[in-house]
Amino acid sequence: MSRKKYHHASLNRTLTGLAMDAPFVIATRMSRMLDPATALSPAVQAENLRMVWEKQAAAFEACSALMAAGAAQYQQAWLNLWMGALPTGRAPSAASMAKTLDSALQPFHRRARANARRLRSGK
């Protein structure tokens, strides 16, 4: 019986990317917000609005990924019952949990990486 192995490399890359990009983005945005010369400029105000909206969009995408993973597990459980297999009551595997967590963190990682690139370029 062949079993797919999910090496946690993707989750590790996502977490490492977040650990590298998020502090830079936070520090850059806070320094711009706290600078009295630019705090009320239209560019900084637009950046503040962008910050709020992109967090909401990323949270929505993450919830969608978690709901899709839950629906897939629910569907598999019903399929197993229909085929005559009794529920085992086992928790999901570590690989399954890592894959689900990675898919939930991807929207935050993509946005943090894009923001870091944009803020480093000075736009």
Side-chain angles (χ1 to χ4, degrees), residues 2-54:
S2 174
R3 189 173 181 196
K4 279 187 182 179
K5 288 190 175 186
Y6 181 79
H7 302 286
H8 304 289
S10 181
L11 178 60
N12 290 340
R13 277 192 302 272
T14 301
L15 289 172
T16 302
L18 274 171
M20 298 296 285
D21 292 331
F24 172 77
V25 171
I26 293 168
T28 304
R29 284 179 168 167
M30 289 302 295
S31 67
R32 290 180 182 179
M33 280 190 246
L34 295 175
D35 183 13
T38 62
L40 297 177
S41 71
V44 173
Q45 295 298 318
E47 184 70 26
N48 293 343
L49 284 175
R50 179 184 186 139
M51 177 177 53
V52 171
W53 284 107
E54 73 186 8

Side-chain angles (χ1 to χ4, degrees), residues 90-111:
R90 288 182 295 166
S93 67
S96 172
M97 295 295 286
K99 190 173 181 181
T100 302
L101 181 59
D102 184 48
S103 64
L105 289 175
Q106 278 298 318
F108 295 103
H109 179 238
R110 278 194 314 270
R111 283 173 174 80

Side-chain angles (χ1 to χ4, degrees), residues 33-88:
M33 280 190 246
L34 295 175
D35 183 13
T38 62
L40 297 177
S41 71
V44 173
Q45 295 298 318
E47 184 70 26
N48 293 343
L49 284 175
R50 179 184 186 139
M51 177 177 53
V52 171
W53 284 107
E54 73 186 8
K55 298 241 184 332
Q56 291 176 353
F60 179 78
E61 286 181 40
C63 286
S64 298
L66 290 174
M67 287 172 45
Q73 288 178 352
Y74 188 72
Q75 183 181 22
Q76 186 62 44
W78 274 107
L79 182 63
N80 288 343
L81 278 174
W82 188 70
M83 299 297 276
L86 294 175
T88 60

